Amino acid sequence: MAAPKTAHPGRTLIIFFAGVAILFGLVAIGGTWKPALGLDLQGGQRITLRAKDNNVKTEAMAEAAKIINQRVNGSGVSEASVSTQGNTNIVVSIPGESNQKLVDIVQRQARLGFRLIACSSSVPGACGGAAAPKPDKTTTGIVHDGLAWRAAPPQAWIDKFNAATCPPAAEPDENADAPTNPMVACSTPVKGQAPEKYLLSPAVLEGKELSSATAQQGGQNSIAWEVGLKFKSDGAKKFAQISKSLFTNGREQFAMVLDGSVLSAPRMDSPSLSKDASITGSFSHAEAMSLATSLKFGALPVAFESDPKNETIGPSLAGNQLDAGIWAGIVGLLLVMLYCLLYYRGLGFVVIASLLAAGITTYGMVLLLAGAGFTLSLPGIAGLIVAVGITADSFIVFFERIRDEMREGKSMRVAVEAGWVRARNTCLAADAVSLSAAVVLYIFAIDEVRGFAFTLGLSTVIDLAIFFWFTKPAVSWLGRFHFFSDGHKLSGLGTDTLGLDAAAIKGGAV
């Protein structure tokens, strides 16, 4: 019986190596060649927020910690630890170098409001004597009042606008950005640009009426980044009136104000008549993510002191302990390789090559994900080490299936294909169990365990890719050489390892 037709193993191997080359090409574009380490391995900063009130409810502190955790991880920081200490403190531990932006994100009280612009530094408007359009009859309620205020701001507020400076000369009052009050605000400082000064109406739309905000790319053929907004029902109605009025009046700007600072002042390029809207501009991915994070994770239910404690902390895992763990992993891996060489002989080199391919691919993925904020912690490293055993199990199942087929009298080329069909289903079932466990852990576990679950799941997926696109074609390719197909004693498929007579193998009885 002739050997069944199989896919070209050489072609599959070429495609695999091309995929690895593309992976490292993407890493080269990102410019990150070292994995980002977690707090336990490299240290970082610890920010302690203290509540102004000493009698804060436990539920309010827990909700504040949850929002802060979302803010920090929404900014691209992974493995951050957020915990409460009693009913007064929230402690945020963030891996990496000290970053003032993260401190600002953590302590931000996030009173968010959408306001109408009466005048600004670049467009004096009503402050310069120009008449703004009055609200039309289709606007109602708070939107109508805001448009009317913008059209004719009181002289007292015009004087405040003219006297104000950016950045402010003094710390603003805590209630300066109350939703019912007009305000003078400055744009968020940008390096190399002078801040813009605005005179703003009372809030016509509050952050609580915003359902979600996400960083996304534009249309189907666009690579530009934008921020997508989704409003709740009442918010959508108000925003429809605002957008229609500002668009009709010449695509005017409106301001999104967070804690007294103008986050963004986009123009109304089109009226929004649904719950969805988008903010476009020359955003980078990081800028779009930052704006979306600020808009999405709004007000904290607890007021904290304005000057949080910020300190640098060292790694919780001492250097000698980390070195000992790494050496233990290396020695264990070398022992696995040595055992495979002694037991599987020539086929053992396939195991070694597959483990090296899995290691290189995993390292490339860790580097690529580091650009998206992934940090490698000790639990994450444990997940990678556990996955080595899963990968080795796949090879053992496959090789033993090949040996079983050859004991039945099949030639190696036929045994490889027949054994592959039987081993493939077994390995798929085993990896499915590991992947399911990783997903469950990631969803329900705490942050530290989620690092373990993520790397375990990632390694399991990589194991499947190596098994299908490297190990199997590599064995099929080696089957074309007489060293393996004739059952040389050093191939791992000889008569001494199979327990058969030489004639049973060379003949290829099936």
Side-chain angles (χ1 to χ4, degrees), residues 133-146:
K134 294 182 180 180
D136 57 45
K137 296 180 180 180
T138 61
T139 58
T140 58
I142 195 171
V143 176
H144 183 275
D145 295 340

Side-chain angles (χ1 to χ4, degrees), residues 411-447:
S411 67
M412 179 188 175
R413 293 186 63 185
V414 176
V416 168
E417 301 305 323
W420 165 249
V421 172
R422 299 174 66 184
R424 178 184 60 196
N425 294 334
T426 301
C427 293
L428 282 173
D431 282 344
V433 172
S434 297
L435 191 59
S436 300
V439 170
V440 171
L441 278 175
Y442 187 83
I443 293 174
F444 295 106
I446 60 176
D447 292 337

Side-chain angles (χ1 to χ4, degrees), residues 65-371:
K66 179 181 177 181
I67 292 174
I68 290 173
N69 186 52
Q70 290 173 322
R71 283 188 195 171
V72 174
N73 288 296
S75 300
V77 177
S78 184
E79 299 290 342
S81 173
V82 180
S83 60
T84 59
Q85 289 184 345
N87 291 333
T88 56
N89 292 352
I90 289 181
V91 179
V92 184
S93 301
I94 304 172
E97 297 179 359
S98 181
N99 189 330
Q100 184 59 40
K101 287 186 177 179
L102 291 177
V103 179
D104 295 339
I105 288 174
V106 168
Q107 69 175 346
R108 187 181 294 155
Q109 297 301 311
R111 180 182 282 169
L112 177 65
F114 291 68
R115 296 172 181 262
L116 303 175
I117 301 173
C119 44
S120 65
S121 302
S122 56
V123 183
C127 300
K134 294 182 180 180
D136 57 45
K137 296 180 180 180
T138 61
T139 58
T140 58
I142 195 171
V143 176
H144 183 275
D145 295 340
L147 290 168
W149 191 95
R150 181 202 62 155
Q155 185 60 44
W157 278 101
I158 294 177
D159 294 339
K160 287 183 180 182
F161 171 79
N162 292 329
T165 59
C166 285
E171 189 73 20
D173 183 83
E174 288 187 4
N175 294 319
D177 63 341
T180 55
N181 295 337
M183 65 180 301
V184 177
C186 301
S187 61
T188 303
V190 177
K191 187 176 181 180
Q193 297 181 14
E196 184 85 357
K197 183 173 62 172
Y198 298 93
L199 175 59
L200 304 174
S201 73
V204 291
L205 194 62
E206 293 186 56
K208 63 184 180 182
E209 296 172 286
L210 185 65
S211 175
S212 67
T214 56
Q216 62 190 30
Q217 289 182 300
Q220 187 174 4
N221 299 320
S222 174
I223 60 173
W225 284 95
E226 64 182 31
V227 177
L229 306 178
K230 184 179 289 292
F231 293 95
K232 298 177 182 178
S233 297
D234 290 341
K237 295 176 182 177
K238 292 179 182 178
F239 192 74
Q241 294 183 42
I242 297 167
S243 61
K244 181 180 178 182
S245 178
L246 296 184
F247 177 75
T248 303
N249 293 336
R251 299 186 177 183
E252 293 181 300
Q253 292 176 284
F254 68 99
M256 290 178 288
V257 184
L258 183 68
D259 288 348
S261 180
V262 177
L263 278 179
S264 180
R267 293 188 179 277
M268 192 64 68
D269 287 335
S270 62
S272 175
L273 304 179
S274 67
K275 293 183 179 180
D276 298 315
S278 62
I279 305 171
T280 59
S282 301
F283 292 123
S284 65
H285 179 224
E287 290 168 341
M289 284 287 293
S290 177
L291 178 56
T293 299
S294 297
L295 293 175
K296 181 178 179 180
F297 304 121
L300 293 174
V302 180
F304 294 96
E305 294 178 354
S306 59
D307 187 20
K309 182 180 180 182
N310 182 20
E311 56 186 332
T312 301
I313 57 176
S316 58
L317 186 65
N320 58 345
Q321 292 176 309
L322 176 60
D323 291 341
I326 292 175
W327 277 110
I330 292 174
V331 171
L333 184 60
L334 290 176
L335 289 175
V336 170
M337 292 180 174
L338 179 61
Y339 175 80
C340 289
L341 280 177
L342 293 175
Y343 187 76
Y344 287 112
R345 303 178 187 181
L347 285 177
F349 287 102
V350 178
V351 176
I352 294 174
S354 297
L355 287 174
L356 290 176
I360 291 171
T361 305
T362 302
Y363 188 70
M365 286 300 300
V366 169
L367 293 178
L368 187 63
L369 291 171

